[in-house]
Amino acid sequence: MMNPSNATELDVPTIMRIGAARMTAGLDRMGRLDLAAHAGIFGPLPRMSAQQLIDAAAQVDLRGQGGAAFPFARKLQAVIDAAKRTGQQTIVVVNGTEGEPGSFKDKMLMIRSPYLILSGAALVAEALGAEEVIVGVTGNELANRSIEAAIAAEPGLRAMMRVVQQPERFISGESGALVRGINGKKPVPPGRKTLAADKGVDDLPTLLSNASTFAQIAVLALLGAERYASVGLPEEPGTVLLSVSGSAKHPAVVECPTGVPLGAVLDICQAPAGDGVLVGGYHGMWLDAETAYQVPVGREGLASAGGTFGSGIVLPLGDGTCPLGEVSRVASYLAGESAGQCGPCKLGLPSIARALAAIVDGSGGIEALDVARRAAAAVNGRGACSHPDGTTRFVLSALEVFTEDLAAHVFHSTCGRPVRGILPLPDGPETANAKQLIVDWVRCEGHGLCAHLLPEVIHLDKTGYPVVLPIPVPPWLEKDAQQAVAMCPALALRLDTDPRKRGADRRGSQPPPIPVAAPTPRPGLLGGRKSITAG
C-alpha cells in the first residue's frame, strides 16, 4: 500500500512550514493522504456555483501557481463566456506536467495529497458543468500512480477524470503544448497565441490551470474568502508553496504565508545564498544575496526587488561554484529545449549558450560577452512562445548580478572556481539514451561541413575546427544531425549517448518502485445530495 509513515520512503522532498499548514495539512504525520485520511483532515468541500467561485477567487486575488500568475477569476469567467458564445461544453485540465528542473511542489502534492488537487478540479468542473477533467502528467512514475490510484478509488472521480501522459520536456508544460499533446498533436507550443479558454481540448472552451492552483481552490472553498485571507499580505493573501533546492542542505517544499522574508525560507532549509539566488526558475531572475534575504515572498515583493515569483522555484547558489559556469550549463540546456519553430529561438539561444561557454572557458573575453548580449537583444520579444524571452531574462539577469565573476572570466579567463552543478538539470533514466554529437578529434580535419549543415548546434572556432554545443540533439534537428554525421568527409562525427550518463537507466542497484494499491472505493465527499468527488 502507498501510505508509508516516513516520507523519505516515497523519495519526495521534505516538507517544511512557516506558520500553520494549509495545503500541506496532515503531511507531518502521514506520508500520503488516502481518501479516508484526506476526508478526516479536510472534510467535505462545499458546493459552489461558478459565480460563487469567481467572487471568492476575485476577493482574494487568487492567481495561477504555474508561473504566469493569471487571475483565476478572469480565467473562469473567460471559459464561461466562451461556452455561452459558442454553445459548447467545457473541459477542465489539470496541468501536472511540471517539467522544469528545480520545481517539485506539484509532484509533492500529486504523490502525497492527490485528493486536494482532484477535489479542487472536480469542484471547478461541477461549477462549470464540465463532464470531463483531464490530468496532464509527465514521467514521474510515483506521482502518476498516486493520481491514478486516487481517481480509481472514488466513483465520482473515476466517472469524470482521465490521466494523459506527455513527454518529459521543459516546454511540454506550456499550456498550448499541453493542449496540443492531449489533442494527439506534437506537444510543443502552437506558435501563435490561442487561449485555451476559447479553443482548447477538442476545440472546446477549456479551463486549464496548474495542479497546485486547484489545490488552492480546494483550500479557498474549505476556508472561505475571509479565513483564507487571514494570513499573508492584504493585497496577496494566503500561503504559497516554494520548491527550494540549489545549495540547500535540506531541499524542501516550503509552505509559508506571503510577506515572509525569503531569508527565513533559506534559513530553515540551511541554504546559503552565496553569490546569488535564482527566483522563478529558469525563466526567472537572479537576486544578490543581500536582496534575497530581505525580499518578502510574493509576486509584488519579488518584482519590486528585480525578481519574479514564477512557479515558486528558489535556487540559492551558495559559495564554491562558478556562477557563470552554472548559468552556462542551464543556458545550453534551455537552447536544447527549444521547440525549433522560429528563428530567434533556433539560432539565437544556441548563440547565447556558445558565447557563455566561451566566457566561462576563457576563450571568449569581451567579444563573447558582446555576442551574448547582442544575441539576447535580438531574440527578446521575437519568439513564437515565451521560451526565448524567459531564457534571455535568465541570462541577462545573471550578467547583471554576477558582475565580479564576469569580470574575472573576461579579463583573467577564469574565476578559479569549479562548476559544481548546483543548479539542477534532468538526470533521470530518460536522459541516459539521449543522443549527442561527438567529435573524434583524431580524425577531424576541420572541413567545417558539419557547421554549415547544423549551425544550431555546431560552429567553427577561430582555427576552423567545430565547437559542438554539449546538449542532446533536439527532436527537430535529428534529421539534420544524421545528415551531418553521414556527410563528414573524415568520418569524425558521430551520434552517441553521453558517456557520463551511460548506465543511468540501470536499476539493478535501485530499490523497486513502491507499489500503489488503490484505496477501498468510498462514496464522494463533496457536500450535498449528489456527491461527485473527494474533498
Side-chain angles (χ1 to χ4, degrees):
M1 296 291 291
M2 186 180 174
N3 195 18
S5 58
N6 187 347
T8 59
E9 296 177 33
L10 291 176
D11 191 28
V12 293
T14 303
I15 292 171
M16 296 185 181
R17 304 184 184 97
I18 298 175
R22 287 187 171 183
M23 286 185 282
T24 60
L27 299 181
D28 55 340
R29 306 190 302 276
M30 287 172 274
R32 178 181 184 269
L33 303 184
D34 63 11
L35 188 55
H38 176 84
I41 291 168
F42 290 101
L45 282 182
R47 290 179 174 282
M48 298 180 73
S49 67
Q51 191 58 52
Q52 287 173 322
L53 266 179
I54 290 171
D55 292 343
Q59 187 173 337
V60 301
D61 192 22
L62 181 66
R63 303 291 185 101
Q65 308 290 295
F70 193 82
F72 189 82
R74 284 173 54 191
K75 183 179 288 190
L76 196 58
Q77 186 65 61
V79 172
I80 293 169
D81 292 345
K84 286 181 179 178
R85 187 171 60 251
T86 61
Q88 294 176 308
Q89 268 286 340
T90 58
I91 287 181
V92 172
V93 173
V94 179
N95 188 349
T97 55
E98 199 174 33
E100 180 169 353
S103 184
F104 40 83
K105 62 178 173 48
D106 289 0
K107 293 183 182 71
M108 182 279 295
L109 286 174
M110 291 164 69
I111 293 168
R112 301 191 61 187
S113 194
Y115 287 108
L116 196 62
I117 297 169
L118 299 178
S119 60
L123 181 72
V124 172
E126 185 185 39
L128 287 172
E131 296 180 355
E132 184 177 30
V133 176
I134 300 170
V135 184
V137 300
T138 50
N140 188 292
E141 184 180 354
L142 192 55
N144 299 351
R145 287 187 291 119
S146 176
I147 287 289
E148 289 167 353
I151 292 171
E154 207 281 314
L157 298 182
R158 196 164 61 242
M160 70 187 309
M161 293 190 176
R162 63 186 172 102
V163 176
V164 176
Q165 186 165 342
Q166 300 295 296
E168 186 100 33
R169 288 197 66 197
F170 187 90
I171 58 171
S172 296
E174 194 268 343
S175 60
L178 179 57
V179 167
R180 282 174 57 89
I182 293 171
N183 284 337
K185 300 178 181 178
K186 188 176 181 181
V188 296
R192 52 189 169 77
K193 190 63 175 176
T194 302
L195 296 177
D198 293 327
K199 185 177 287 190
V201 175
D202 295 334
D203 290 337
L204 299 175
T206 300
L207 191 289
L208 187 154
S209 205
N210 173 265
S212 53
T213 307
F214 288 104
Q216 287 276 23
I217 286 291
V219 171
L220 175 61
L222 287 162
L223 295 178
E226 289 187 8
R227 285 182 61 200
Y228 182 94
S230 63
V231 301
L233 298 167
E235 67 276 11
E236 192 180 335
T239 66
V240 292
L241 295 180
L242 303 175
S243 302
V244 184
S245 57
S247 68
K249 183 177 180 180
H250 302 293
V253 173
V254 180
E255 182 175 15
C256 68
T258 55
V260 167
L262 184 59
V265 175
L266 297 175
D267 285 345
I268 65 171
C269 294
Q270 297 185 35
D275 288 280
V277 178
L278 179 64
V279 290
Y282 292 162
H283 281 177
M285 302 179 76
W286 288 94
L287 301 175
D288 63 78
E290 183 179 355
T291 302
Y293 275 107
Q294 297 175 359
V295 68
V297 170
R299 297 186 307 274
E300 296 302 322
L302 286 166
S304 66
T308 178
F309 186 82
S311 55
I313 299 171
V314 179
L315 293 168
L317 201 54
D319 298 307
T321 190
C322 169
L324 284 181
E326 297 284 350
V327 172
S328 177
R329 290 173 58 243
V330 174
S332 293
Y333 160 72
L334 293 173
E337 287 298 296
S338 166
Q341 297 185 119
C342 58
C345 201
K346 289 169 61 176
L347 297 173
L349 297 192
S351 294
I352 295 170
R354 285 194 298 265
L356 287 175
I359 294 171
V360 171
D361 68 22
S363 65
I366 286 288
E367 183 181 345
L369 176 59
D370 185 51
V371 169
R373 285 181 167 147
R374 282 190 285 108
V379 166
N380 195 44
R382 296 181 178 178
C385 70
S386 63
H387 183 57
D389 287 359
T391 302
T392 56
R393 181 165 55 242
F394 165 79
V395 170
L396 293 176
S397 172
L399 297 180
E400 289 180 7
V401 170
F402 302 131
T403 53
E404 291 185 11
D405 192 65
L406 181 60
H409 281 279
V410 168
F411 297 112
H412 304 289
S413 297
T414 180
C415 68
R417 290 178 286 183
V419 182
R420 300 189 182 276
I422 299 298
L423 298 182
L425 290 178
D427 61 356
E430 70 281 354
T431 68
N433 297 322
K435 297 293 182 68
Q436 294 186 200
L437 284 167
I438 298 174
V439 178
D440 182 345
W441 294 111
V442 174
R443 295 186 173 190
C444 181
E445 298 176 0
H447 294 96
L449 181 60
C450 56
H452 175 74
L453 294 171
L454 208 64
E456 297 89 346
V457 178
I458 304 174
H459 80 289
L460 302 180
D461 65 15
K462 294 177 181 179
T463 64
Y465 281 89
V467 178
V468 182
L469 204 61
I471 59 171
V473 174
W476 51 275
L477 274 179
E478 286 176 357
K479 271 188 163 184
D480 293 335
Q482 290 166 354
Q483 183 184 23
V485 169
M487 295 183 66
C488 176
L491 303 179
L493 193 64
R494 72 179 192 275
L495 268 173
D496 203 353
T497 55
D498 186 342
R500 295 167 297 180
K501 292 186 177 181
R502 285 176 191 155
D505 58 346
R506 295 174 191 159
R507 300 186 180 182
S509 60
Q510 309 237 350
I514 299 169
V516 182
T520 305
R522 298 169 181 265
L525 298 178
L526 190 73
R529 184 169 55 87
K530 292 174 64 180
S531 298
I532 63 169
T533 184

